[in-house]
């Protein structure tokens, strides 16, 4: 299993990135504020529009360090990578299977059923830890029904419809999962562009960071992150990364956001409310969020299929590796990631 290094997050919007020898240099208003050797990081994520020097881009490319640009709101702008690496035969097989409707539907069913099961397990854990709640119990039962329906779907359009109903039911009861600060963190369902409340702002940022990690993981094992089996192909869209994010968003995104609120690591003062323009984290709130994100990725778990201890941050790499094995016919089926 690959070693989990650190991701460098640049949260000050006025920051400009450059290189000095083998070091990444961060400057604000032409004054150096931070530097770090390139060998100590695996990725750079910057929030802002100031950019990076061509020299820094080449340094990242030469050292296989991803460089991702997000807007101050956390919306994805672009990602820079070096030469395409990986087994060309694996990618050829991936492209062939992407055109196989039956094979693609089967994988999509596995991934979405796993997503719904993870939703259900989060609700069941709440019931186990905090006692009976009729709304949460009914939602958990309905999610079990939706999960079974997924394998009766005859095409991806029907599957996406069932997945949408399951997600809506899950997010209907999401406020019940807030055991602290419920009165100051209102939530009335998913909203994306822009996020209409603080919870949606955090969920969107968590999903963006997760997508970035999954994209890097797919590239590492030799798969093309732009050619997926569930999400449609679109120029610039990492469709395969979005496929794998579906099974991981409840565990690595939703649980993380809930923990930030329930542990009182964030409060309403960490957000800027902009009316019709939505809600975004303050610079201090973003630092708190990213610091907790990095800490969470270092936690150790036992992978349910591999039965090995790995850090949470390596879960995307484990799933990418297992997907590559499935595409190569090294394993009989894809073992979707399921939480307890």
């Amino acid at each position: 299993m690959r070693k989990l290094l650190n991701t460098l997050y640049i949260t000050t919007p006025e920051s400009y990135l450059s290189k000095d020898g083998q070091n990444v240099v961060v400057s604000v208003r032409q004054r150096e504020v931070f530097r770090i050797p390139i060998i100590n990081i695996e990725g750079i994520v910057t929030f802002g529009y100031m950019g990076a020097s061509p020299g820094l881009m080449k340094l990242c490319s030469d050292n296989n360090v991803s460089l991702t640009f997000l807007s101050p709101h956390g919306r994805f702008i672009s990602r820079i990578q070096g030469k395409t690496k990986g087994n060309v035969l694996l990618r050829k097989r991936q492209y062939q299977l992407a055109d196989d409707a039956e094979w693609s539907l089967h994988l999509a069913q596995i991934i979405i059923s796993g997503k719904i099961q993870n939703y259900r397990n989060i609700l069941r854990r709440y019931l186990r830890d905090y006692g009976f709640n009729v709304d949460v119990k009914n939602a958990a039962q309905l999610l079990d029904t939706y999960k079974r329906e997924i394998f009766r779907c005859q095409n991806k359009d029907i599957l996406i419809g069932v997945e949408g109903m399951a997600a809506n039911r899950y997010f209907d009861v999401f406020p019940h999962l807030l055991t602290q600060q419920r009165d100051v963190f209102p939530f009335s369902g998913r909203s994306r562009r822009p996020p209409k409340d603080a919870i949606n702002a955090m969920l969107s940022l968590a999903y963006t960071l997760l997508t970035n990690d999954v994209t890097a993981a797919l590239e590492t094992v030799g798969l093309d992150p732009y050619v997926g089996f569930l999400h449609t192909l679109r120029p610039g869209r990492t469709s395969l990364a979005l496929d794998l994010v579906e099974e991981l968003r409840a565990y690595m995104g939703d649980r993380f956001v809930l923990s930030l609120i329930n542990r009182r690591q964030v409060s309403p003062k960490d957000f800027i409310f902009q009316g019709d323009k939505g809600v975004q984290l303050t610079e201090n709130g973003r630092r708190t969020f990213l610091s907790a994100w990095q800490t969470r990725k270092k936690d150790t778990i036992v992978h349910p299929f591999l039965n090995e201890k790995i850090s949470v941050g390596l879960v995307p790499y484990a799933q990418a590796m297992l997907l590559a094995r499935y595409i190569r016919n090294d394993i009989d089926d894809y073992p979707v990631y399921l939480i307890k």
Side-chain angles (χ1 to χ4, degrees), residues 93-158:
R93 177 65 175 163
Q94 176 189 355
Y95 301 150
Q96 291 171 338
L97 292 174
D99 290 330
D100 185 328
E102 183 178 352
W103 197 96
S104 296
L105 177 61
H106 175 69
L107 181 61
Q109 288 172 323
I110 293 174
I111 289 173
I112 296 303
S113 67
K115 174 185 180 179
I116 296 174
Q117 181 63 39
N118 286 335
Y119 279 165
R120 182 170 179 263
N121 286 346
I122 286 179
L123 300 186
R124 292 175 66 190
R125 181 176 181 177
Y126 171 85
L127 293 170
R128 183 176 67 246
D129 293 345
Y130 297 100
F132 178 78
N133 180 296
V134 63
D135 292 333
V136 175
K137 181 181 179 181
N138 289 341
Q141 292 174 340
L142 189 56
L143 288 176
D144 188 50
T145 300
Y146 286 138
K147 184 189 71 172
R148 292 195 299 269
E149 285 185 18
I150 288 295
F151 288 99
R152 294 193 289 267
C153 294
Q154 299 298 310
N155 57 61
K156 285 191 281 188
D157 289 337
I158 299 174

Side-chain angles (χ1 to χ4, degrees), residues 191-207:
S191 57
R192 296 168 179 81
R193 297 179 181 177
K196 296 180 181 179
D197 54 58
I199 293 179
N200 273 295
M202 289 189 288
L203 288 174
S204 292
L205 179 54
Y207 297 159

Side-chain angles (χ1 to χ4, degrees), residues 178-191:
L178 299 180
T179 59
Q180 301 289 331
Q181 304 192 91
R182 187 183 299 178
D183 55 333
V184 294
F185 278 99
F187 181 81
S188 57
R190 277 292 282 144
S191 57

